[in-house]
Amino acid sequence: MASYKAGSALGISFIGVADMERSLEFYRDVIGLTVTEPCLWHGESLTAQWQSPPGLEAEAVLAAYQGSRVGRVMLLRFRTDSRQEVRAGRETTWIGLGNLNFYTNHIHETAVRLSAAGYRFWSEPTTYEMNKAVGSPTEVVFEAPDSVPVNLVELVRGTQTQTGEMAAFLDSHGMTPTGFTQVVTSAHYVRNMDSAIEFHRRVLGMEPLIDAILDRPEQNNFLNLPPDARTHVVFVKGHMFGKVALCAPLNYECVDLTGRAEAPNIGYLAMGFEVPDIDDAVARARSLGTVIAAVPRDIDLPHLGRLRGAVVRAPGSGARYHLYEGEPA
């Protein structure tokens, strides 16, 4: 098998939407991402990628930051009446894909403004120390359209910590006109941390950046977890943005939402990663016992053109990962 010289990053978060214009108002007007004109996704490429019945169609819009291939959002409105919400019960503890994480430099003012606009927040912005090496970010979570939780983070600048390093990268990278980044991290709640890390290392070339236990009351409060909850969190990355936060509950139960995260449902459905060699990536996945939901084949991916892609069920949770071949981001 070929060796990966650089790790993949989260390239696309696939979101099933209830109302395209409402979702665009958030990702385009609030977050400030640049969006494409809608196009129709249909045919074998759609059904193969989602294992959906023939004839399913979806309106597709891609939201990105200044042409970046990292941290984008694909909004999909499936044309059918048989859609259900992934988080129908508004769960706050579950197995599967979790939240979208954006950086902002003015978290308190932003929370006030978005709350006044009708977005429901889980708590007030909270500053906490993850550990001395990581530093003390300020975070808050709120409900975005389509029952997708969004985690806002404000970093502390000028410190010799990992958050300080991230802040320096952010300053060199830039932000949208409305003061946000693209998706910098996405949470993925898993039952088995070891298998999840091994998959991200061997298949995606991503390496651990942060390894911590979240168990402080202030952390659990903004995450809407039980007061005594203990969560093992490992951030893996191939790029400073487009990270994945692998989260394993240590002393509390979670409902498994991976069975609901399917087309044509509404919510966070899948993550997409660009890999240098799709056949090699799938071979690596098979060697780990990964379920291959769709074997490598040519696909037409909306707004990205014709690519070779495959779909796997990520070890540790069974969440849907779409892999597609291309040059490193």
Side-chain angles (χ1 to χ4, degrees):
M1 296 181 184
S3 61
Y4 289 175
K5 295 181 180 179
S8 298
L10 171 60
I12 305 173
S13 294
F14 292 91
I15 309 295
V17 308
D19 182 309
M20 182 62 80
E21 188 53 39
R22 181 168 180 266
S23 297
L24 284 173
E25 287 174 359
F26 178 72
Y27 294 100
R28 178 192 61 204
D29 302 335
V30 174
I31 300 299
L33 298 175
T34 299
V35 302
T36 61
E37 289 295 321
C39 73
L40 185 63
W41 192 12
H42 60 95
E44 287 188 14
S45 288
L46 184 148
T47 56
Q49 285 288 285
W50 297 98
Q51 292 80 59
S52 59
L56 184 65
E57 298 179 335
E59 181 183 7
V61 172
L62 184 66
Y65 173 75
Q66 294 186 353
S68 173
R69 286 166 30 196
V70 172
R72 297 168 293 185
V73 178
M74 179 80 77
L75 303 174
L76 298 170
R77 187 185 184 282
F78 293 97
R79 294 184 170 183
T80 176
D81 293 330
S82 59
R83 297 181 297 162
Q84 301 177 350
E85 290 195 25
V86 176
R87 288 179 62 232
R90 298 299 186 271
E91 295 86 353
T92 58
T93 59
W94 68 91
I95 298 297
L97 303 183
N99 60 48
L100 300 181
N101 177 306
F102 300 90
Y103 290 165
T104 179
N105 289 332
H106 307 285
I107 195 168
H108 292 279
E109 298 90 333
T110 299
V112 170
R113 175 168 53 86
L114 294 183
S115 182
Y119 293 97
R120 184 175 69 82
F121 281 72
W122 290 7
S123 71
E124 296 294 322
T126 301
T127 302
Y128 69 95
E129 183 181 74
M130 187 173 289
N131 58 45
K132 293 189 181 301
V134 176
S136 302
T138 302
E139 303 193 38
V140 72
V141 179
F142 67 94
E143 297 279 345
D146 312 305
S147 301
V148 176
V150 162
N151 184 4
L152 298 182
V153 181
E154 183 173 341
L155 303 170
V156 178
R157 285 166 169 73
T159 62
Q160 300 299 313
T161 63
Q162 288 170 318
T163 53
E165 293 174 3
M166 292 176 194
F169 177 84
L170 172 59
D171 290 341
S172 68
H173 179 79
M175 306 183 86
T176 69
T178 57
F180 297 91
T181 59
Q182 67 258 58
V183 177
V184 294
T185 307
S186 177
H188 177 184
Y189 296 90
V190 303
R191 296 191 186 280
N192 187 307
M193 181 64 80
D194 290 341
S195 61
I197 292 173
E198 187 71 359
F199 171 84
H200 286 81
R201 270 181 162 161
R202 292 186 55 189
V203 177
L204 299 176
M206 304 175 80
E207 291 295 333
L209 173 69
I210 296 171
D211 190 328
I213 301 295
L214 302 184
D215 60 1
R216 298 180 183 179
E218 60 269 26
Q219 295 166 336
N220 289 329
N221 180 57
F222 90 81
L223 292 171
N224 212 344
L225 293 172
D228 62 346
R230 300 183 74 246
T231 308
H232 184 196
V233 178
V234 177
F235 288 74
V236 292
K237 79 175 185 75
H239 184 283
M240 189 61 78
F241 287 174
K243 300 185 295 294
V244 177
L246 301 170
C247 309
L250 299 180
N251 66 342
Y252 57 95
E253 293 299 319
C254 295
V255 61
D256 192 333
L257 294 187
T258 57
R260 295 188 211 162
E262 299 288 345
N265 289 342
I266 297 165
Y268 197 175
L269 302 181
M271 293 197 288
F273 296 86
E274 186 174 328
V275 297
D277 185 322
I278 189 67
D279 295 302
D280 181 49
V282 170
R284 289 169 181 263
R286 285 188 195 278
S287 73
L288 298 175
T290 305
V291 173
I292 310 301
V295 298
R297 57 173 291 165
D298 290 338
I299 59 169
D300 293 308
L301 200 59
H303 307 291
L304 298 182
R306 195 158 185 83
L307 304 168
R308 274 182 63 76
V311 181
V312 303
R313 293 291 190 174
S317 74
R320 178 184 288 273
Y321 275 33
H322 290 220
L323 310 181
Y324 50 94
E325 185 175 299
E327 298 178 1

